[in-house]
Amino acid sequence: MSAPLPSLAHPGQNLAPSSKYAAGPGTHVYGSQIQASLAGAPTVDKTTKPPTLSIPRLLPPADASILPSSNVSTTNTLPRVGSIVLARVTRCMVRQTNVAILVVDEEVCADEWSGVVRREDVKATEKEKVVVGDSFRVGDLVRAEVISLGDQTNYYLTTARNELGVIMAKSEAGNTMYPISWKEFRDPMTGENETRKVAKPI
């Protein structure tokens, strides 16, 4: 018996076997799986054979409002060492990437927290070869882990695990891309590839 569809999907997430559904707008086929190309709630059109699995483009990407309102914290969830966060890239520099933390351990923050991914914390191997601009771009949505409470202004984050990294990205042409490898996203409209530190779907 196949697993139920998620209530909210993120780009690159496996949704269902391609043998069970046809891939509609907002999804694509990767191997034997239909994966999300957009962030949003999957829908199924049962009037087609096989049923068509789609994700409507309803909300702008990289926005905390794409997450269920029932998970919004009314207090403000503080990141802790070991917390898994979702963050939006706000600035890329040679030695580090600045981010705004939107979600902490699946709780949407009432206010954004500032975080930093240093160059040495982007990947687990070949750290000296990491180019920050090839790993992240402003506007990307990133899954990361808090490794230090940092200084008084920023939490220190890492993406140096397979399941951590960019989960949503727009191309230079402004289109939402989908991951094709651990280091590249593809623009479905232009066919162009762009480099990122891609998070493995979970």
Side-chain angles (χ1 to χ4, degrees):
M1 184 176 179
S2 59
L5 293 174
S7 58
L8 182 73
H10 59 72
Q13 181 177 355
N14 289 336
L15 300 177
S18 57
S19 59
K20 185 176 180 181
Y21 298 101
T27 68
H28 62 273
V29 176
Y30 184 76
S32 61
Q33 290 286 319
I34 295 178
Q35 292 187 342
S37 300
L38 304 173
T43 62
V44 176
D45 181 0
K46 295 183 178 179
T47 63
T48 62
K49 292 186 178 181
T52 301
L53 180 56
S54 305
I55 297 179
R57 185 191 293 272
L58 297 177
L59 294 166
D63 190 319
S65 63
I66 65 175
L67 295 147
S69 58
S70 59
N71 285 350
V72 177
S73 173
T74 56
T75 51
N76 206 9
T77 305
L78 284 170
R80 299 173 297 176
V81 173
S83 291
I84 301 299
V85 303
L86 295 183
R88 182 181 63 248
V89 175
T90 57
R91 187 180 183 189
C92 290
M93 294 177 283
V94 174
R95 299 281 314 170
Q96 67 183 40
T97 296
N98 291 73
V99 301
I101 298 172
L102 308 173
V103 180
V104 177
D105 293 327
E106 300 185 0
E107 291 285 339
V108 180
C109 300
D111 296 307
E112 296 179 357
W113 301 105
S114 296
V116 168
V117 182
R118 297 169 297 183
R119 188 174 70 172
E120 59 267 30
D121 297 321
V122 173
K123 293 172 58 178
T125 60
E126 299 182 324
K127 297 182 179 183
E128 69 283 354
K129 296 182 180 179
V130 170
V131 177
V132 173
D134 289 342
S135 302
F136 309 106
R137 303 281 178 87
V138 172
D140 288 354
L141 191 64
V142 176
R143 183 191 301 122
E145 180 182 358
V146 179
I147 55 173
S148 168
L149 300 183
D151 51 32
Q152 293 183 344
T153 56
N154 292 298
Y155 289 91
Y156 287 171
L157 312 176
T158 180
T159 58
R161 297 211 313 263
N162 289 343
E163 67 272 22
L164 303 178
V166 178
I167 63 172
M168 181 189 296
K170 274 195 170 186
S171 67
E172 292 184 357
N175 302 313
T176 300
M177 300 186 291
Y178 62 90
I180 58 172
S181 72
W182 62 271
K183 62 178 181 178
E184 285 186 313
F185 276 83
R186 176 170 294 166
D187 185 324
M189 304 301 293
T190 67
E192 295 293 324
N193 297 344
E194 294 186 17
T195 59
R196 297 291 197 280
K197 197 293 181 182
V198 182
K200 181 180 179 181
I202 58 174

